[in-house]
Amino acid sequence: MSEIRRHELAAFLRHRREHIPPEQVGLERGRRRRTPGLRREEVAQLSAVGVTWYTWLEQARSIQVSVQVLDALARTLLLDPSERAHLFRLAGAVDPTPATVCPSITPALQTVLEQLEPVPACVQNSRYDILAYNRTYGLLLCDLDAVPPEDRNCMLLCYTHDEWRSSIVHLAETQRLMAARFRATMAGHLAEPAWKMLLKRLRAESPDFREAWERHEVGAHRMRRKEFLNRYVGRVVVDHTDLWLGPEAGPRLVTYAPADEESRRRLERLHALALEREREREREREREQRRGRGRENERENGVALSRG
């Protein structure tokens, strides 16, 4: 890390630390606190690092900073996605966590995803993380909303998620092709922690992946026809297309256009089901809000009666 980067990193950490009230991270302010924000020793304790080491970091000393420590500091300092990315850039490191938030996912792009319905569509990065998706895609292979954001990765789902796997008609062929494409793309990311962590997890959790990976096959992205067996509407045949969102092979818009009229009708039914589920969730949120307001009114009435 260059001297300029070290000083910028030190200033950024110091500024964030000084602007986080202790109450925001569950600490008591106390009477002797001279700073409105956190103390260095508090940041060190919350991040599980040494006080001396963290002090050196804020003093811009030439020390090594691991991605695990940067991740802990980002969580302790309550960094939003932009601030977290800035922290890792200053440290000259690659964020190891899956990209659940991506600058490419603008409101306009989210609108495009919705306008494509009933055609299932999503945005993926080159590591197969699902960054955004429309409602039809969210029910195509599984209930994607029920999958934790950090697990919304097509490689993981294809090799470890039972419902996702059972929805793919030609599973073995799909797994082999995905492993080959993943190996070809990873060649440009061999030193990046996020890629290594995903590979390690796949090898640990899936014997099928280990077998496919040991073949050392490589492949390129290309349009191809796919068949899915959806739990709600039955078999759907689609044509898969990748539309790259920039000059580099990074985020891409993935679409599944129906290959025949029956598949189109089934996707329309799936879209209608997704809309109904969305409306039901909204109705449940409204009911919960009403129940919450009712409980609050009961508490206020109880306080008023006790005072009377």
Side-chain angles (χ1 to χ4, degrees):
M1 193 190 314
S2 69
E3 184 177 356
I4 294 176
R5 284 181 177 271
R6 290 200 306 271
H7 281 280
E8 285 292 329
L9 177 61
F12 178 64
L13 291 172
R14 188 164 53 249
H15 179 271
R16 288 297 301 148
R17 172 176 62 82
E18 292 173 349
H19 286 79
I20 296 179
E23 299 87 350
Q24 198 170 354
V25 292
L27 299 176
E28 294 183 1
R29 176 170 295 277
R31 296 182 178 179
R32 293 189 173 184
R33 185 177 295 272
R34 290 177 292 179
T35 175
L38 297 176
R39 301 186 181 102
R40 284 175 175 170
E41 56 266 28
E42 291 171 335
V43 173
Q45 180 182 1
L46 291 169
S47 305
V49 300
V51 177
T52 301
W53 185 91
Y54 180 76
T55 300
W56 287 350
L57 192 59
E58 278 202 9
Q59 292 174 345
R61 296 203 188 188
S62 181
I63 57 176
Q64 294 295 320
V65 189
S66 70
V67 293
Q68 290 80 11
V69 167
L70 290 171
D71 177 69
L73 289 174
R75 296 175 188 274
T76 297
L77 297 174
L78 307 177
L79 302 186
D80 65 25
S82 297
E83 292 167 334
R84 181 185 175 96
H86 183 64
L87 173 70
F88 277 83
R89 281 196 297 268
L90 288 177
V94 178
D95 191 344
T97 60
T100 56
V101 177
C102 176
S104 298
I105 310 304
T106 62
L109 183 53
Q110 189 65 54
T111 299
V112 169
L113 287 173
E114 295 170 3
Q115 292 295 316
L116 284 171
E117 292 185 307
V119 171
C122 70
V123 176
Q124 299 176 16
N125 62 14
S126 57
R127 201 170 53 243
Y128 285 101
D129 295 323
I130 302 172
L131 308 178
Y133 54 92
N134 62 19
R135 289 159 298 202
T136 314
Y137 184 89
L139 284 183
L140 182 62
L141 290 101
C142 73
D143 183 358
L144 198 53
D145 289 345
V147 177
E150 62 271 19
D151 292 338
R152 291 174 191 166
N153 175 281
C154 288
M155 290 294 298
L156 280 175
L157 293 167
C158 186
Y159 278 98
T160 67
H161 192 283
D162 289 340
E163 185 179 349
W164 187 283
R165 288 157 52 89
S166 66
S167 298
I168 300 174
V169 174
H170 305 290
L171 178 62
E173 179 188 3
T174 298
Q175 289 178 328
R176 182 179 63 81
L177 291 174
M178 288 187 68
R181 289 197 296 266
F182 185 71
R183 179 180 287 279
T185 307
M186 190 174 177
H189 306 271
L190 292 175
E192 296 182 20
W195 287 77
K196 292 192 290 186
M197 289 173 64
L198 176 57
L199 177 60
K200 182 179 179 181
R201 183 176 176 184
L202 285 164
R203 295 185 65 138
E205 297 184 13
S206 173
D208 291 336
F209 177 80
R210 290 196 298 272
E211 181 182 347
W213 192 250
E214 292 305 318
R215 294 188 183 127
H216 288 268
E217 295 177 339
V218 294
H221 288 273
R222 57 185 176 82
M223 294 184 296
R224 57 188 294 263
R225 182 154 291 184
K226 295 186 175 184
E227 293 184 55
F228 301 124
L229 188 61
N230 182 267
R231 62 182 299 185
Y232 301 108
V233 299
R235 186 180 294 260
V236 176
V237 183
V238 296
D239 289 321
H240 171 187
T241 302
D242 289 321
L243 303 172
W244 304 98
L245 301 180
E248 303 296 331
R252 62 186 183 275
L253 176 65
V254 179
T255 62
Y256 292 124
D260 52 58
E261 283 304 312
E262 182 59 32
S263 294
R264 176 175 294 279
R265 286 191 292 270
R266 291 179 177 181
L267 287 177
E268 288 171 350
R269 292 204 300 272
L270 186 63
H271 177 225
L273 175 61
L275 288 176
E276 179 54 36
R277 288 165 65 103
E278 184 178 65
R279 286 191 290 266
E280 178 55 36
R281 285 194 296 266
E282 182 59 34
R283 288 193 290 265
E284 180 56 35
R285 283 193 292 268
E286 292 175 354
R287 288 193 290 266
E288 183 58 37
Q289 289 172 358
R290 287 195 295 271
R291 287 193 289 265
R293 288 194 294 268
R295 289 191 293 266
E296 183 63 29
N297 290 336
E298 289 175 2
R299 285 194 294 268
E300 291 177 358
N301 292 335
V303 170
L305 289 172
S306 64
R307 289 175 179 173

